[in-house]
Amino acid sequence: MSMFTLSENILLGCATAATQIEGGDKNNSWYDWANIPGHIADGSTPLRATDHYKKVKADTSLMAKMGLQVYRLGLEWSRIEPEQGKFNKKAIEHYRNEIQLLLENGIQPLVTLHHFTNPTWFEKMGAFEHEDAPEIFLDYVRFTVEELCDIVSDWITINEPNVYTVNGYIFGTWPPGKKGDIRTLSKVYTNLCACHIASYKEIHRMRLIHNFDPKTTHVSFANHMRIFEPKKTWNPLHRLSNAFMKYGFQDALTQAMMTGKATWPVNRLPLKVSDVYIHEGRYYDFIGLNYYTRDAITTGKRTVFEQSPVNDLGWEIYPQGLVDISESLYKKYVAPIWITENGTCDNNDSFRCRYIYDHLLAISKSTLPIQRYYHWSFMDNFEWAEGEEPRFGIVHVDYETQKRTIKKSGQFFSEIIKERGVTESMYEKYVKEETYNYL
Ligand code: BGC
């Protein structure tokens, strides 16, 4: 008997990001940021991480053994372009080999060009605040895509432009550590949109030059979206804050990134990036959604609904939200949906099987064209300002010895891929005994 079966059209795998797993790179904004005391909760830096850069072979074998069908990996820009305009062939070779290895193992890669981290030289210039940022980013994209587009058809230009900008310019918890700077937020949002649109067009153009049928090229961005709800629906201030925050955090930016139609807080987009024209259009081949949680909005604040199930970072676990957001995006933008991230911080792996079960069950019940599911994350990793302590992996990492051990949730996910769903005996074995923690 099966508890649920997944459609044959959905491919399952995991996602990671370069800075969070690779280790060994000192030439980036997060290494610099982490070296200032107080910035990272547990004092760790991304220099150690999981040492994946050196362990690509073994890690890829492990992914293959677990049966991953797809894998989303990030590139470290600072390795590829360590100085402005100077590109490192060796770094590209490394990524090319990694991608080849994935392909040889039957794992389809999805490559992220930017996942929060900048090269130190770019950060020092003001990163995406700088008016030339889109041109500079496009140089990196052109070099990289030219080198890899014969073996990579699926691309994410930018990961979570809203999280990057809000943490860096409103909360000040991430580099460059500015607080409440709405003017700069607008500038950064605008430049990130220009980067995405110009990259979208360039990747398509370059693949075409390499004689690929345009239908085989898939480009989008990974959009972090949360469910926003007023904490007390009877309270007009909660309702007002909710509408304002939802719009400012995700809706205006989503529209600008996907269509080039800019409304505040996104400023008017530049007419050109280098020789690429920017205009309204359709800049996505799939809807890329990173989904984690729901917020209960009070007056100007994000909180969590009382008595809700929460993960070890206090984020509400709200599986239905995954499908609800997918549906609202689908209605507006009509394209295949790729869940480019979904996962949870569960330090003892004591409820992750239930989490995976609940989210995939919601997907299995939906009639939306959800084509990919990338679990965040393959292995425990450097969780930005929270450091090494929060564990999101389905594979455990001992940071001292760098030993990898498949967790119970990893076994479960692996069986789901094999069985294309969850059988009754799998439910008994993995899910039945697990319970969430409640607020
Ligand atoms: C990011 C990841 C991060 C995860 C968990 C997403 O916002 O893309 O880099 O580790 O959430 O916080």
Side-chain angles (χ1 to χ4, degrees):
M1 268 286 282
S2 104
M3 306 295 285
F4 68 79
T5 311
L6 290 163
S7 134
E8 275 165 30
N9 300 327
I10 182 166
L11 301 178
L12 305 169
C14 292
T16 59
T19 313
Q20 293 179 272
I21 60 170
E22 285 183 347
D25 182 42
K26 290 188 176 179
N27 194 21
N28 71 69
S29 52
W30 269 93
Y31 174 76
D32 297 334
W33 178 256
N35 270 301
I36 298 169
H39 280 174
I40 310 296
D42 61 6
S44 59
T45 84
L47 191 60
R48 173 162 82 171
T50 75
D51 202 22
H52 173 72
Y53 204 73
K54 296 210 187 103
K55 296 189 178 320
V56 166
K57 261 196 182 159
D59 288 341
T60 310
S61 300
L62 190 57
M63 288 176 204
K65 185 175 144 198
M66 292 169 74
L68 303 200
Q69 299 176 289
V70 290
Y71 174 55
R72 176 178 166 218
L73 70 151
L75 306 180
E76 191 67 79
W77 179 4
S78 66
R79 288 189 195 271
I80 296 174
E81 192 178 1
E83 283 174 62
Q84 187 176 3
K86 293 215 169 116
F87 294 96
N88 183 343
K89 278 266 178 192
K90 265 205 171 146
I92 278 287
E93 252 342 277
H94 170 94
Y95 288 122
R96 215 183 146 81
N97 291 338
E98 176 170 5
I99 291 160
Q100 292 282 18
L101 213 54
L102 288 164
L103 292 167
E104 283 159 21
N105 280 286
I107 305 170
Q108 205 171 316
L110 166 62
V111 175
T112 310
L113 286 156
H114 187 273
H115 195 128
F116 298 153
T117 306
N118 299 318
T120 300
W121 59 263
F122 182 66
E123 188 74 17
K124 282 196 177 138
M125 293 172 60
F128 293 96
E129 288 176 55
H130 197 285
E131 63 173 336
D132 297 335
E135 276 82 9
I136 293 169
F137 183 71
L138 195 62
D139 284 346
Y140 152 66
V141 171
R142 280 178 164 150
F143 174 81
T144 306
V145 173
E146 180 57 39
E147 295 285 332
L148 300 176
C149 79
D150 60 322
I151 53 170
V152 178
S153 56
D154 303 347
W155 298 87
I156 295 282
T157 56
I158 290 167
N159 180 70
E160 301 191 343
N162 54 352
V163 171
Y164 171 86
T165 312
V166 167
N167 287 347
Y169 297 88
I170 301 298
F171 298 142
T173 48
W174 286 15
K178 297 192 178 173
K179 286 197 180 124
D181 191 348
I182 293 191
R183 221 173 228 265
T184 311
L185 167 127
S186 282
K187 225 192 242 177
V188 172
Y189 269 5
T190 309
N191 276 340
L192 288 169
C193 285
C195 287
H196 165 67
I197 293 170
S199 303
Y200 177 94
K201 291 178 111 183
E202 276 302 274
I203 297 170
H204 271 281
R205 188 184 64 80
M206 292 166 94
R207 288 265 302 170
L208 205 58
I209 290 176
H210 285 260
N211 286 322
F212 289 102
D213 178 342
K215 285 202 279 301
T216 64
T217 304
H218 305 117
V219 188
S220 194
F221 69 107
N223 195 4
H224 177 106
M225 292 190 95
R226 313 162 79 88
I227 294 276
F228 279 83
E229 273 175 35
K231 179 138 191 201
K232 310 267 187 228
T233 31
W234 52 262
N235 185 327
L237 289 174
H238 291 192
R239 288 206 306 271
L240 205 66
S241 286
N242 183 66
F244 179 76
M245 287 168 76
K246 179 174 185 293
Y247 184 76
F249 180 70
Q250 59 195 26
D251 293 347
L253 186 61
T254 299
Q255 174 186 279
M257 296 280 288
M258 297 187 85
T259 68
K261 186 166 188 243
T263 50
W264 185 90
V266 183
N267 299 332
R268 186 196 295 259
L269 298 179
L271 287 176
K272 268 168 91 177
V273 173
S274 171
D275 54 359
V276 181
Y277 282 93
I278 307 294
H279 45 76
E280 286 183 27
R282 182 182 161 109
Y283 300 112
Y284 55 97
D285 303 303
F286 57 90
I287 295 166
L289 173 64
N290 292 1
Y291 173 76
Y292 288 90
T293 192
R294 166 169 79 164
D295 285 333
I297 304 298
T298 59
T299 311
K301 269 210 181 109
R302 289 173 168 175
T303 70
V304 180
F305 283 107
E306 277 132 38
Q307 291 168 345
S308 49
V310 287
N311 75 9
D312 291 348
L313 288 171
W315 307 355
E316 183 182 352
I317 298 167
Y318 186 63
Q320 186 53 34
L322 176 61
V323 170
D324 290 349
I325 295 184
S326 296
E327 190 172 349
S328 68
L329 283 168
Y330 185 75
K331 277 193 181 146
K332 232 179 178 164
Y333 300 106
V334 198
I337 298 158
W338 294 12
I339 307 302
T340 38
E341 284 180 29
N342 171 245
T344 198
C345 175
D346 173 10
N347 295 328
N348 301 311
D349 204 46
S350 62
F351 55 82
R352 188 176 284 104
C353 291
R354 181 166 288 281
Y355 180 99
I356 292 173
Y357 177 82
D358 285 340
H359 286 78
L360 290 180
L361 175 66
I363 289 177
S364 77
K365 286 184 183 160
S366 156
T367 54
L368 293 165
I370 299 178
Q371 293 184 340
R372 308 259 180 115
Y373 174 88
Y374 297 86
H375 190 78
W376 184 275
S377 181
F378 177 63
M379 54 187 156
D380 296 332
N381 58 57
F382 177 77
E383 176 56 25
W384 309 113
E386 306 294 338
E388 288 174 349
E389 227 149 82
R391 293 183 180 269
F392 277 81
I394 57 171
V395 170
H396 179 271
V397 174
D398 177 330
Y399 290 102
E400 292 296 328
T401 62
Q402 294 296 359
K403 187 172 176 328
R404 276 77 162 136
T405 314
I406 301 175
K407 298 181 190 180
K408 180 183 161 203
S409 56
Q411 299 284 3
F412 181 48
F413 192 58
S414 177
E415 274 185 51
I416 294 175
I417 301 174
K418 211 161 93 209
E419 298 292 330
R420 301 300 307 163
V422 176
T423 61
E424 217 164 275
S425 67
M426 284 163 71
Y427 182 86
E428 294 274 324
K429 181 170 171 195
Y430 294 103
V431 186
K432 201 175 166 198
E433 306 284 304
E434 292 200 348
T435 47
Y436 293 131
N437 300 313
Y438 286 79
L439 196 68

